[in-house]
Amino acid sequence: SQARGEGHGDCLSGVAGSCLSIRMVVSVVRPPLGCRMMILSYNFSSPYQMGEMADPIQFKDEGNKHFQAGEVDKAIECYTKAIKLCTDKKVLAVVYRNRSACFLKKESYTNAASDASKAIDVDAADVKALFRRCQALEKLGKLDMAFKDVQRCSTIEPKNKTFLETLRRLGAEIQAKLKTTFSTDSRVQNMFDILLDEEMDKDKKEMAANNLVVLAREEAGAERIFQNNGVPLLLDLLETGKVEMVLAAIRTFAGMCTGHKARVRGREDREVHYSIMAVDNEDIALATCDLFQCINDSLTGGDRRFYGKEEALVLDASKDLKSILMALLEMVASKKVSGHGRDQALNLLTRNVPRKDKKDPDHSKSLFTIDHGLKKILKVCGQIPDLPDQLPMTENTQLIASVLLDKLWDDLRCDPERDNYREVCDEYIKNIHAINALSGLLQGPFEVGNQLVGRQGIMEMMVALCGSEREVDQMVAVEALIHSSTKMSRASFIITNGVSLLKDIYKKTKNDKIKIRALVGLCKLGSAGGDDYSMRQFAEGSTEKLAKQCRKWLCNSAMDTRTRKWAIEGLAYLTQDADVKDDFVEDDPAMKAMFDLAKSKDKTILYAVACTLVNCTNSYEKKDIMPELVQLAKFSKQHVPEQHPKDKKDFIQKRVKRMLKGGVISALTVMVKADNVLLTDQTKEMLARVFLALADDPKDRGTICAHGGGKALIPLALEGSAIGKVRAAHALAKIAAVSNPEIAFPGERIYEVVRPLVSLLHPERDGVQNYEALLSLTNLAGLNDKLRVKILKEKALPEIEQYMFEDHDHIRQAATECMCNLVTCKEVQDRYLEDGNDRLKLLVLMCVEDNEKLQRAAAGGLAMLTAAQKKLCTKMTLVTLQWMEILQRLILHDQPQIQHRGLVIVYNMLNSDDNELAKKLMESEILEILTVIGKAMDNPKRQIVIDVARTCLVKAMDLGLIKPFTTP
């Protein structure tokens, strides 16, 4: 049985290696003459009918026959029946021993060890049972127990070489394992000795602390640190206050806590960790955030590793989780916490409080956070950095708080919960801080913020504050106006009541921070009509002037990043105007300045940059308007949106070229890598849209790959909004369809591309997405077996088969080419061997289609299938009565590639061990065609065709179907 299986596998691999050379489309070379496929079959007929047997001996014997035939499942079934009937202990021991051998074959090692033990209970000297239990225990990792079993075997049969070799090998493995364990113990102790030695050099102490981090990432090292009283020492390291030592201690704690509930539960040192995260050091705050994330994952089951008895001791973790949540909420509004620490506390809340899956009914953490922490989050949003006695914050803090507010709002399930949320916010909106908090709500849950803006007197208060003499009042009010004028009705109100105020502020103030905010307010109001050319809010040329001033401030490197960021905010609104887009992409210094800011640490800029890029590439969602509806709207005197002349395709293409030349891809790749909650799903979607627009021209896709665009698209295609993932996957498909995937997606990344591409085969996707996904999968399937298996694992095969029946010629051709590159997989071949379907018939009939590329792909698929599975040669003659005519048309084709594939099919039929089929071929006109082709003079352009024809004739002679010419 084993020999037969190995022989069959070797034959298949020989065919695949010699016959199949595929790259993107297909190229098939003839199989070597010596390649034969031996498919043997064994049919063991039982002298007994299963229903007639009641003797356990008969069941045992029948099981032995099935086992010898390689039918392990049937053997297990027979042995199990024998066990139920057997009363003789000695016979029962033999049956258990035999079933143990079956379980070993099935790699069910626990069952194998159990059955062998039952046999040993009857006869302690049963060497077969002992050795089988040894093999099972070894596979289960219980080397010491396996060693004892094989030791007993070698005592019973001291000259048995197998036993002696296993004894020696297991002994060596046990020694190596002990050496590793003792080595870990000694390394941990050595690190502790260095750290405890007060006279030791600083560098050696830092090295020892970092070595502890490495050890803590290994389970053996983490356990040794924990058992050797390492926690108090790590706490001592935290108290040193030295950054390197503190970081090492925190990362060691993270390694110890990762995935291990028993080490995490009820830790009294957690208060120390809270105080450490509050330190004004970005690296320490980030490391402590990672530690708390590890703790949270361990307690909630986010880390699914199993730790046996230790895990069984852990009780309900809800108390620990609640205490962590309360501590984080306290940190949000505490003045003792640094800006970096506050950012990380907000990040942890954003990641872990809202549900990741909306189908999960439990959203108690969100409700708890709203009840105990919503006012604290609003307090962060309401902070005004220019006033004294404010909370320490970074440039990202308030926007992170806005994102958290938005996610909490989205996590609510019913109207009473949303009403409670609004009431808490409404109570808070009472002073200047509240107006700033309103800006935070408008950037987060806009629905809540917009409702509050609509309250009587709020909008009037904003306009009044714009006229205040205090600069802080002006700054806060202008920001609130900017965020609240998103709705057209609000914009109209502000245009009527606030534009003159904004202009006065812009002209009179000497404070650049206020001036630029006033400018952005004017920019937003000027773009209230969107890209509708007929809905300009300001006079002709006004938006261009505003944009010019924004570009000027953007290029002013003397200004701080936070102020320059507002210049990009202004451009994000103004670039809805096509004139502004053209001016911006022509301004290389402005573009470079924006890309440089996108790479900075200030992540609040990501959304504005993404908006600007979407506008410049016209990659926003735009519905097609039917001409009939336009005429109807004009007739009824309704407003009809007008497209700007510079928003036509040729202008868009020019802008894209300029942006690529300006380095947009490197900026996008940095933005995608931002490990921050500010990279929201909406921002990811916009970045995906930009990538798709940039990849529209095949000539530009090489540039995108060269700057890392291919790698950057993968996370966008795997995470984010549904639309964003589709756009990113489509961009990946465009790149993979025309580029070398090994260059575009180097290393293991190439396997991550498969899933997004397969998602584009869904029937809901449009035809262009289907087509380009099929092209890219064809390209990937032509590279190696591992990629082909990955495509099959993602369940792409049924979708590809479905598109082979598509009416659209291009989609059907792409699907057939993809299938041609997949037929080397055994799973695909088995589907073609199955009865009751038309898969093979479809391929045969496609060989006579008018589309030559489709013909080539179908014939290539048939050539490879018939080479790999000889049964398909015979089946091919049964699926259609016209098979002979189709074969003749293939080998007479004027295209050498198609003719070559047809001749390979003929050779495979002659080599199929079906003498009747071979005879039928040689009795037809195919012999005459082969003779004509084989007699042709050597021709480099058609040599491969001539050689295969000659090989077919030689094969026919070997089979005795034709004789060579004899000369007198």
Side-chain angles (χ1 to χ4, degrees):
S1 171
Q2 187 177 1
R4 179 184 60 161
E6 290 175 356
H8 185 61
D10 288 344
C11 189
L12 279 179
S13 63
V15 172
S18 58
C19 299
L20 313 178
S21 175
I22 320 165
R23 195 69 164 201
M24 188 174 170
V25 185
V26 290
S27 64
V28 183
V29 297
R30 64 187 177 85
L33 293 178
C35 179
R36 292 176 177 271
M37 296 183 63
M38 304 299 294
I39 301 179
L40 307 178
S41 61
Y42 298 88
N43 184 15
F44 294 94
S45 58
S46 171
Y48 306 103
Q49 295 299 320
M50 296 300 289
E52 298 173 1
M53 286 195 296
D55 185 358
I57 301 295
Q58 294 176 354
F59 277 119
K60 177 177 75 70
D61 294 341
E62 186 70 14
N64 293 345
K65 290 178 182 178
H66 284 305
F67 182 78
Q68 291 168 4
E71 299 167 343
V72 180
D73 290 328
K74 291 182 179 179
I76 291 174
E77 185 180 344
C78 290
Y79 290 141
T80 303
K81 290 179 180 178
I83 289 168
K84 290 179 180 178
L85 296 171
C86 188
T87 56
D88 187 328
K89 287 189 176 181
K90 290 186 178 180
V91 175
L92 191 61
V94 172
V95 177
Y96 271 123
R97 186 180 69 198
N98 290 355
R99 195 171 72 168
S100 176
C102 293
F103 283 130
L104 280 174
K105 286 274 188 184
K106 293 278 289 181
E107 297 183 2
S108 180
Y109 301 118
T110 303
N111 290 330
S114 176
D115 277 6
S117 296
K118 291 172 182 175
I120 294 166
D121 289 342
V122 177
D123 182 4
D126 187 339
V127 289
K128 287 186 178 180
L130 281 168
F131 189 65
R132 283 169 189 167
R133 188 169 72 175
C134 165
Q135 291 175 299
L137 291 171
E138 181 187 357
K139 293 294 185 181
L140 292 170
K142 301 177 180 179
L143 299 183
D144 52 343
M145 296 171 67
F147 183 81
K148 290 178 182 178
D149 280 346
V150 76
Q151 199 171 37
R152 289 169 65 187
C153 290
S154 62
T155 303
I156 298 168
E157 295 184 12
K159 294 184 179 180
N160 189 310
K161 292 182 179 179
T162 302
F163 296 161
L164 294 174
E165 174 60 26
T166 305
L167 188 67
R168 184 197 63 76
R169 179 171 51 78
L170 287 178
E173 289 180 12
I174 291 170
Q175 289 298 320
K177 187 175 180 180
L178 289 172
K179 185 178 179 182
T180 302
T181 302
F182 289 131
S183 174
T184 301
D185 282 346
S186 62
R187 286 163 66 195
V188 171
Q189 190 59 50
N190 186 34
M191 297 305 105
F192 281 178
D193 291 341
I194 293 172
L195 292 168
L196 289 169
D197 189 348
E198 294 181 1
E199 298 180 359
M200 189 62 66
D201 292 342
K202 175 188 173 184
D203 293 341
K204 287 187 177 180
K205 280 193 172 187
E206 290 179 1
M207 186 179 294
N210 289 325
N211 286 339
L212 272 181
V213 177
V214 176
L215 284 172
R217 290 172 182 163
E218 303 170 3
E219 175 53 28
E223 187 62 24
R224 291 273 64 82
I225 295 171
F226 189 74
Q227 296 294 343
N228 287 2
N229 204 29
V231 174
L233 176 62
L234 292 172
L235 292 175
D236 290 341
L237 289 179
L238 291 176
E239 291 178 3
T240 62
K242 298 176 182 177
V243 175
E244 296 80 5
M245 304 291 271
V246 171
L247 285 172
I250 294 170
R251 288 165 182 164
T252 304
F253 271 122
M256 291 166 56
C257 293
T258 299
H260 206 295
K261 290 184 181 180
R263 296 193 199 124
V264 171
R265 278 274 291 144
R267 297 218 53 81
E268 296 176 358
D269 49 53
R270 211 168 282 150
E271 291 295 331
V272 179
H273 297 149
Y274 298 137
S275 63
I276 291 296
M277 192 162 80
V279 172
D280 190 15
N281 183 291
E282 185 176 4
D283 292 334
I284 291 176
L286 183 58
T288 315
C289 176
D290 290 338
L291 167 59
F292 277 113
Q293 189 63 52
C294 292
I295 292 172
N296 181 81
D297 290 345
S298 299
L299 292 174
T300 58
D303 188 311
R304 306 214 175 258
R305 283 177 282 185
F306 180 72
Y307 289 93
K309 294 180 180 178
E310 294 92 340
E311 185 157 353
L313 298 174
V314 178
L315 302 176
D316 184 20
S318 59
K319 184 177 178 181
D320 289 283
L321 290 169
K322 185 177 178 181
S323 67
I324 292 172
L325 182 54
M326 283 298 295
L328 291 174
L329 291 174
E330 287 298 323
M331 292 181 71
V332 166
S334 173
K335 288 186 178 180
K336 296 179 181 179
V337 178
S338 68
H340 296 299
R342 202 178 317 281
D343 283 0
Q344 298 309 326
L346 289 166
N347 279 335
L348 284 167
L349 290 169
T350 305
R351 290 177 194 164
N352 300 301
V353 171
R355 293 169 295 169
K356 292 180 174 61
D357 184 1
K358 291 296 186 285
K359 294 179 182 178
D360 182 2
D362 183 15
H363 67 316
S364 56
K365 286 190 288 186
S366 290
L367 296 179
F368 183 87
T369 302
I370 290 168
D371 290 339
H372 295 84
L374 182 55
K375 289 185 179 179
K376 294 173 182 175
I377 302 168
L378 288 169
K379 182 179 179 180
V380 174
C381 291
Q383 295 300 293
I384 303 170
D386 295 294
L387 289 179
D389 199 30
Q390 301 295 293
L391 296 176
M393 294 188 301
T394 69
E395 61 273 9
N396 297 327
T397 306
Q398 290 181 307
L399 193 52
I400 297 173
S402 295
V403 172
L404 175 56
L405 289 172
D406 188 40
K407 288 187 176 292
L408 290 173
W409 172 260
D410 287 342
D411 204 38
L412 299 179
R413 297 172 57 190
C414 58
D415 288 341
E417 292 173 357
R418 296 186 183 95
D419 290 340
N420 177 57
Y421 188 106
R422 291 190 191 98
E423 287 172 8
V424 175
C425 295
D426 195 20
E427 289 176 13
Y428 195 81
I429 307 298
K430 293 176 182 176
N431 51 39
I432 183 173
H433 287 277
I435 295 295
N436 210 34
L438 185 59
S439 292
L441 285 168
L442 289 164
Q443 293 177 82
F446 181 80
E447 182 181 339
V448 179
N450 189 52
Q451 188 172 2
L452 293 174
V453 170
R455 296 288 173 87
Q456 186 174 2
I458 295 292
M459 189 65 76
E460 288 78 7
M461 186 195 304
M462 292 185 198
V463 174
L465 283 173
C466 286
S468 172
E469 294 181 0
R470 285 207 314 170
E471 290 184 342
V472 173
D473 293 349
Q474 293 178 1
M475 190 184 306
V476 171
V478 170
E479 285 192 25
L481 282 172
I482 292 169
H483 297 305
S484 62
S485 60
T486 300
K487 288 280 186 180
M488 189 65 189
S489 58
R490 307 272 181 249
S492 301
F493 174 87
I494 298 169
I495 289 170
T496 305
N497 299 280
V499 169
S500 59
L501 282 173
L502 290 174
K503 287 182 178 178
D504 288 341
I505 292 171
Y506 177 72
K507 292 175 182 177
K508 294 177 182 179
T509 186
K510 295 180 181 180
N511 187 326
D512 285 341
K513 293 180 180 179
I514 298 175
K515 187 183 284 285
I516 197 168
R517 284 166 173 77
L519 177 66
V520 172
L522 291 169
C523 292
K524 188 168 185 179
L525 296 174
S527 63
D531 64 345
D532 186 350
Y533 186 50
S534 63
M535 289 285 288
R536 292 192 169 194
Q537 301 296 325
F538 294 159
E540 184 76 28
S542 297
T543 52
E544 287 90 329
K545 290 178 182 178
L546 291 171
K548 185 177 180 181
Q549 186 60 46
C550 284
R551 298 202 306 273
K552 180 180 176 182
W553 264 319
L554 179 59
C555 296
N556 186 356
S557 57
M559 298 178 74
D560 63 281
T561 303
R562 188 180 179 87
T563 304
R564 292 170 69 199
K565 178 197 76 172
W566 282 98
I568 301 178
E569 290 275 357
L571 288 170
Y573 298 124
L574 293 176
T575 46
Q576 294 182 67
D577 186 293
D579 290 318
V580 176
K581 299 176 196 179
D582 265 17
D583 292 343
F584 177 66
V585 297
E586 293 292 332
D587 190 341
D588 288 333
M591 264 206 306
K592 186 178 184 303
M594 186 179 77
F595 295 155
D596 289 342
L597 283 175
K599 300 173 188 177
S600 68
K601 288 185 178 181
D602 186 353
K603 300 307 177 187
T604 60
I605 206 167
L606 295 177
Y607 186 79
V609 174
C611 283
T612 305
L613 295 176
V614 166
N615 290 338
C616 289
T617 56
N618 282 52
S619 51
Y620 42 78
E621 201 72 45
K622 188 86 172 174
K623 290 184 179 180
D624 293 330
I625 302 175
M626 295 175 62
E628 294 83 357
L629 291 179
V630 173
Q631 294 299 324
L632 182 62
K634 288 180 178 178
F635 179 76
S636 58
K637 297 183 180 179
Q638 298 294 318
H639 172 71
V640 179
E642 294 181 19
Q643 185 186 40
H644 195 291
K646 290 185 178 180
D647 273 334
K648 293 181 180 178
K649 190 172 182 179
D650 53 340
F651 284 96
I652 297 171
Q653 289 174 343
K654 288 178 183 178
R655 290 199 290 268
V656 166
K657 301 289 184 186
R658 291 284 302 180
M659 292 169 70
L660 286 168
K661 188 178 179 182
V664 65
I665 299 298
S666 60
L668 288 170
T669 54
V670 173
M671 292 169 71
V672 170
K673 291 176 184 176
D675 183 17
N676 196 292
V677 293
L678 296 181
L679 188 63
T680 60
D681 289 349
Q682 190 175 1
T683 306
K684 290 177 183 176
E685 180 183 325
M686 288 193 289
L687 295 178
R689 289 179 181 276
V690 174
F691 268 118
L692 182 58
L694 296 174
D696 187 59
D697 188 347
K699 296 177 182 177
D700 296 330
R701 295 171 195 172
T703 304
I704 295 172
C705 293
H707 291 86
K711 292 183 289 185
L713 274 166
I714 295 173
L716 294 178
L718 296 174
E719 298 176 358
S721 67
I723 296 174
K725 289 191 285 187
V726 171
R727 297 291 183 272
H730 193 187
L732 281 174
K734 286 181 176 291
I735 292 170
V738 299
S739 308
N740 183 345
E742 292 174 311
I743 296 174
F745 316 104
E748 294 298 310
R749 293 181 185 275
I750 193 170
Y751 301 101
E752 299 176 39
V753 178
V754 175
R755 181 173 296 174
L757 295 179
V758 172
S759 71
L760 292 180
L761 299 181
H762 195 278
E764 291 183 2
R765 307 289 169 254
D766 62 46
V768 175
Q769 292 170 344
N770 298 153
Y771 175 67
E772 292 185 326
L774 287 166
L775 288 182
S776 54
L777 287 172
T778 301
N779 211 358
L780 291 173
L783 291 177
N784 57 55
D785 286 332
K786 193 175 177 182
L787 272 169
R788 288 189 279 272
V789 170
K790 176 68 174 174
I791 292 171
L792 298 181
K793 281 185 177 179
E794 294 296 337
K795 300 179 181 179
L797 196 56
E799 303 286 356
I800 296 169
E801 287 180 337
Q802 175 186 334
Y803 287 116
M804 290 176 68
F805 290 90
E806 180 69 38
D807 290 335
H808 196 286
D809 288 343
H810 288 84
I811 294 178
R812 186 161 46 133
Q813 172 195 320
T816 308
E817 289 173 350
C818 189
M819 182 61 71
C820 181
N821 282 3
L822 290 172
V823 294
T824 57
C825 295
K826 184 69 167 58
E827 182 181 335
V828 180
Q829 295 166 13
D830 290 341
R831 289 172 75 93
Y832 277 89
L833 284 168
E834 291 173 2
D835 294 325
N837 63 76
D838 292 330
R839 293 188 183 96
L840 188 63
K841 182 178 181 179
L842 178 65
L843 270 186
V844 174
L845 295 178
M846 280 180 173
C847 291
V848 289
E849 289 280 347
D850 293 335
N851 185 338
E852 289 187 352
K853 291 182 178 179
L854 180 60
Q855 272 187 290
R856 184 173 59 191
L862 276 178
M864 288 183 281
L865 282 168
T866 51
Q869 297 289 345
K870 294 186 177 183
K871 291 181 180 179
L872 289 175
C873 295
T874 305
K875 186 177 179 180
M876 180 179 160
T877 64
L878 304 175
V879 295
T880 175
L881 297 174
Q882 287 80 33
W883 67 272
M884 183 74 76
E885 180 186 345
I886 293 170
L887 202 55
Q888 290 175 8
R889 289 185 63 176
L890 284 177
I891 62 177
L892 286 170
H893 206 284
D894 55 357
Q895 287 291 331
Q897 290 183 330
I898 297 175
Q899 189 179 21
H900 170 227
R901 286 158 172 73
L903 289 167
V904 170
I905 297 170
V906 172
Y907 174 81
N908 291 337
M909 287 180 157
L910 292 171
N911 194 42
S912 66
D913 300 333
D914 186 339
N915 292 331
E916 288 299 319
L917 176 58
K919 185 178 179 181
K920 190 177 294 185
L921 286 173
M922 291 300 99
E923 289 175 350
S924 70
E925 295 178 1
I926 287 179
L927 175 59
E928 184 179 348
I929 298 169
L930 291 174
T931 305
V932 172
I933 298 172
K935 284 183 176 180
M937 298 289 292
D938 289 349
N939 182 347
K941 293 183 179 179
R942 304 183 66 85
Q943 193 61 43
I944 190 170
V945 173
I946 296 169
D947 288 344
V948 178
R950 292 171 181 173
T951 304
C952 290
L953 292 170
V954 171
K955 183 64 182 178
M957 285 190 287
D958 292 343
L959 293 172
L961 299 174
I962 60 174
K963 294 181 180 179
F965 286 111
T966 56
T967 53

